[in-house]
Amino acid sequence: MRCIVKGEVPEAFAQWKARNSAKSDWSSFSKPQSQSYVIYQKLRHSLISEQKHQCCYCEVVLKKEGDAHVEHLKDQGHHPDERFNFSNLLASCQYRDSCGHKKGNGFFKEMVSPLDENCQARFTYTARGKIIPLDEGDSFVQKTIDLLGLNCKRLIDRRLSIIRNLAPVEREYLLQALDNCVEWGWGFYTVIEYMIAKRKQSF
Ligand SMILES: [Zn+2]
């Protein structure tokens, strides 16, 4: 899980919010047939950019806008006041077996969030592509992994293939892969960082 630094509230969203948020619900705001859909699209675009085109939880590449939906970190069911709060909004992938769609209303107070500055340091990977808590007694990390489906077979397989591809390469290539992980269509920035850290340890 890569840390996300939130930027400014997009202007169009701020303006729409000032006029409409009190009387709007999320589904009418984000419906493709609604007048506000263009605002929703701009919002999603800003979120994808601030996340450097990777899913907020699993880090798959968000190639085109439709690869993502706007995700409420604190779910709307239990946190209606957070519905239009930009600092609660993220861009999540559309897979059903992980991330925002899998999480649904399952947010819990101690959940590790990509908005926590130290989130990345609480996870690591295995050589088989699983994501695990760095400290194995950190039950909130494990609960977060389970809630978000971060060890579904699809994600383990993707990570494993990156780990295998990068295992024999020169360090220089690893650094290039890190810089270009989105352009190359790989994503999984923190998996590549893990490979770089492992390489350092072996010297
Ligand atoms: Zn995802």
Side-chain angles (χ1 to χ4, degrees), residues 54-60 62 91-95 98-100 148 150 154-155:
Q54 288 171 85
C55 170
C56 59
Y57 300 128
C58 73
E59 302 176 49
V60 299
L62 304 172
S92 168
C93 68
Q94 299 282 34
Y95 291 97
S98 73
C99 303
L148 296 174
L150 296 180
R154 175 179 53 79
L155 285 170

Side-chain angles (χ1 to χ4, degrees), residues 70-194:
V70 177
E71 146 77 358
H72 292 82
L73 175 67
K74 293 181 184 164
D75 56 85
Q76 302 186 65
H78 300 104
H79 307 271
D81 294 348
E82 298 282 338
R83 184 169 294 151
F84 293 108
N85 177 6
F86 184 67
S87 19
N88 188 46
L89 303 179
L90 300 165
S92 168
C93 68
Q94 299 282 34
Y95 291 97
R96 310 307 298 191
D97 56 352
S98 73
C99 303
H101 288 314
K102 162 103 176 32
K103 170 177 150 280
N105 284 342
F107 174 84
F108 58 99
K109 193 162 68 69
E110 302 84 357
M111 178 185 153
V112 187
S113 146
L115 301 179
D116 302 343
E117 220 175 301
N118 70 337
C119 63
Q120 190 176 330
R122 294 174 70 184
F123 296 86
T124 188
Y125 297 97
T126 69
R128 307 285 305 161
K130 267 182 88 168
I131 188 167
I132 55 170
L134 182 72
D135 167 0
E136 60 181 42
D138 193 340
S139 60
F140 294 133
V141 172
Q142 189 56 56
K143 208 172 148 190
T144 301
I145 291 170
D146 295 341
L147 174 66
L148 296 174
L150 296 180
N151 278 327
C152 66
K153 186 175 180 317
R154 175 179 53 79
L155 285 170
I156 290 181
D157 287 351
R158 293 281 297 278
R159 292 190 204 106
L160 183 56
S161 103
I162 290 175
I163 289 170
R164 283 191 174 146
N165 279 335
L166 291 179
V169 304
E170 299 287 334
R171 185 180 146 76
E172 199 47 44
Y173 186 82
L174 276 178
L175 298 176
Q176 271 183 38
L178 189 67
D179 284 348
N180 295 291
C181 67
V182 169
E183 290 75 3
W184 293 359
W186 295 16
F188 296 99
Y189 185 91
T190 66
V191 174
I192 304 172
E193 282 202 325
Y194 156 79

